[in-house]
Amino acid sequence: MNDHTVKSYDEELTHLTSIIARMGGMAEAQLSSAVQALANRDDDLAQRVVAGDARVDELDQEVQSFAVRLLALRQPMAGDLRQIVGALNISGEIERIGDYAANLAKRCLILNHLPVTASVAGVVRLAELVRALVKDILDAYLERDLEKAIQVWGRDEEVDSMYNGVFHELIGQMTMDSGTITAATHLLFIAKNIERIGDHATNIAEALHFQILGTQPQGLRPKGDTLGVPE
């Protein structure tokens, strides 16, 4: 390739990264807003999160289309191929994070109008932990920071442990006061969605590791025993 072609190709790869950066920032903001809506019983904010999911989906489609175009026209090899394939995988993980944030917001809208509520404090703590992991892994992607990615990957067990604590806490509320059963059940689903967002953050860490080194992180992903409701 001549210098002009190389420069054009580099610009295209940079553009692909920038789309994912916008998408990741939007999904992170969606999650943060959904947690705020839960903590503050804010219907308006929850509705904005639900509406905003469409934009995350649009950016995912933009990544898919642009990456397929690059694969077809540039026929990349080695590191460039890993960068494009990794972008496809990471985009898919971010799109799922956005979906779970929207699901959280939808359940907020139900919770806010129940006659009897249950404590959301544990769920909010879990969400803040996971939100921090999402922020860290998106920063790691933009900075190509392998060490930070590995740190996120290694904290999946911490998320599972906190999720188990929240699960038992909510079961305890339901046992002590049957009037909280409906609200606590919705919170169990929310907690499970948040735990799954943590899984997607660690999936991004694995995809970034492969993108940079061409290998998966060594050893098994640290996992705690998870209990609770299905997705």
Side-chain angles (χ1 to χ4, degrees):
M1 291 189 291
N2 59 40
D3 289 345
H4 175 75
T5 302
V6 169
K7 181 180 179 181
S8 175
Y9 186 27
D10 287 343
E11 289 173 349
E12 288 172 332
L13 292 175
T14 299
H15 178 64
L16 181 61
T17 299
S18 72
I19 302 172
I20 293 179
R22 292 202 312 274
M23 183 183 177
M26 188 170 295
E28 182 188 344
Q30 286 277 96
L31 175 58
S32 180
S33 293
V35 175
Q36 185 179 342
L38 174 65
N40 298 333
R41 299 174 61 86
D42 189 332
D43 277 5
D44 290 341
L45 184 56
Q47 288 169 348
R48 290 200 297 273
V49 172
V50 173
D53 187 48
R55 181 55 182 151
V56 178
D57 292 343
E58 289 171 3
L59 287 173
D60 179 47
Q61 288 300 313
E62 188 175 341
V63 170
Q64 305 294 321
S65 298
F66 194 77
V68 168
R69 175 179 172 276
L70 283 178
L71 289 171
L73 297 181
R74 298 298 190 181
Q75 298 182 345
M77 302 289 288
D80 289 343
L81 178 59
R82 291 201 308 272
Q83 184 172 347
I84 296 170
V85 172
L88 285 166
N89 291 335
I90 290 168
S91 177
E93 301 293 345
I94 294 171
E95 189 272 336
R96 292 300 293 142
I97 290 172
D99 284 346
Y100 280 121
N103 288 346
L104 195 165
K106 289 174 184 177
R107 287 192 182 271
C108 285
L109 292 170
I110 298 172
L111 278 169
N112 290 350
H113 299 280
L114 292 178
V116 179
T117 60
S119 173
V120 302
V123 177
V124 171
R125 288 195 302 273
L126 175 64
E128 288 298 334
L129 169 61
V130 170
R131 189 195 62 77
L133 293 186
V134 170
K135 180 183 185 304
D136 285 349
I137 196 56
L138 293 173
D139 288 346
Y141 171 73
L142 291 176
E143 299 161 8
R144 294 183 67 80
D145 188 332
L146 192 58
E147 182 177 351
K148 184 178 287 187
I150 290 297
Q151 289 173 354
V152 171
W153 183 77
R155 294 184 70 186
D156 194 46
E157 188 174 11
E158 182 181 349
V159 173
D160 291 343
S161 177
M162 186 177 289
Y163 166 72
N164 289 338
V166 170
F167 176 85
H168 289 297
E169 179 183 317
L170 289 169
I171 294 296
Q173 290 184 51
M174 296 163 74
T175 302
M176 293 291 293
D177 182 357
S178 62
T180 66
I181 288 176
T182 300
T185 299
H186 283 292
L187 287 170
L188 284 172
F189 277 101
I190 287 174
K192 184 60 180 177
N193 284 351
I194 293 168
E195 186 268 335
R196 289 294 294 129
I197 290 174
D199 286 342
H200 286 292
T202 50
N203 288 348
I204 294 172
E206 292 178 353
L208 181 58
H209 192 285
F210 180 80
Q211 190 182 60
I212 294 173
L213 297 181
T215 62
Q216 294 293 328
Q218 291 189 351
L220 296 175
R221 179 190 296 187
K223 292 290 291 183
D225 293 330
T226 53
L227 306 168
V229 295
E231 294 179 52

